[in-house]
């Protein structure tokens, strides 16, 4: 009953925020509930968590859906001829936020969400 209520709440949400989802059974349930609703959400933010759950991350056009699991950093090695990627504003935001206190992180995240186009 609780999981069904959770799935319904997720279906009705336009933002989903999760954190510290490292238990496999829980991760599978979160993916099962959030994945079908993800494309209809304005934002889906889950940091840090298991890779399958983090693939659900989405903020506007930014997405981690193609997150790989090949190297020790959690991503696939780029092809030798692949162009170098530029730094991402979202990546920089989360890098700086990880050093801040949880309250500051939440305040900054709300500021970021408010600046997104609707």
């Amino acid at each position: 009953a609780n999981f069904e209520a959770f799935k319904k709440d997720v279906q009705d949400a336009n933002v989903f925020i999760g954190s510290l989802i490292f238990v496999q059974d829980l991760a599978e349930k979160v993916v099962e509930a959030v994945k079908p609703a993800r494309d209809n959400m304005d934002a889906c933010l889950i940091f840090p968590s298991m890779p399958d759950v983090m693939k659900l991350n989405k903020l506007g056009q930014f997405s981690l859906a193609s997150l790989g699991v090949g190297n020790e950093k959690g991503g696939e090695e780029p092809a030798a001829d692949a162009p170098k990627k530029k730094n991402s504003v979202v990546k920089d935001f989360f890098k700086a936020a990880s050093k801040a206190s949880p309250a500051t992180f939440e305040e900054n995240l709300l500021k970021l969400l408010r600046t997104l186009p609707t």
Side-chain angles (χ1 to χ4, degrees):
N2 287 341
F3 181 61
E4 293 305 317
F6 172 67
K7 287 195 323 187
K8 183 185 180 321
D9 288 343
V10 168
Q11 293 297 319
D12 295 338
N14 66 339
V15 174
F16 180 84
I17 299 174
S19 181
L20 301 172
I21 303 169
F22 291 109
V23 176
Q24 185 65 37
D25 291 342
L26 178 59
E28 290 170 1
K29 293 290 186 185
V30 169
V31 170
E32 180 183 336
V34 176
K35 192 172 185 176
R38 178 185 174 273
D39 290 338
N40 297 323
M41 293 181 178
D42 295 327
C44 182
L45 304 169
I46 307 170
F47 285 97
S49 294
M50 296 184 75
D52 285 346
V53 181
M54 287 184 57
K55 287 180 186 179
L56 297 171
N57 276 294
K58 168 189 157 180
L59 188 59
Q61 296 296 326
F62 172 79
S63 172
L64 285 180
S66 62
L67 178 71
V69 290
N71 65 24
E72 67 278 355
K73 293 182 181 177
E76 295 175 353
E77 295 292 336
D81 60 346
K84 299 284 184 199
K85 291 188 178 181
K86 295 180 182 176
N87 283 343
S88 160
V89 173
V90 175
K91 177 182 173 186
D92 292 343
F93 169 81
F94 280 106
K95 189 174 183 180
S98 68
K99 297 174 185 171
S101 72
T104 304
F105 173 75
E106 289 174 7
E107 290 170 11
N108 289 337
L109 184 58
L110 286 172
K111 287 178 189 174
L112 177 66
L113 287 174
R114 289 182 183 126
T115 64
L116 295 175
T118 55

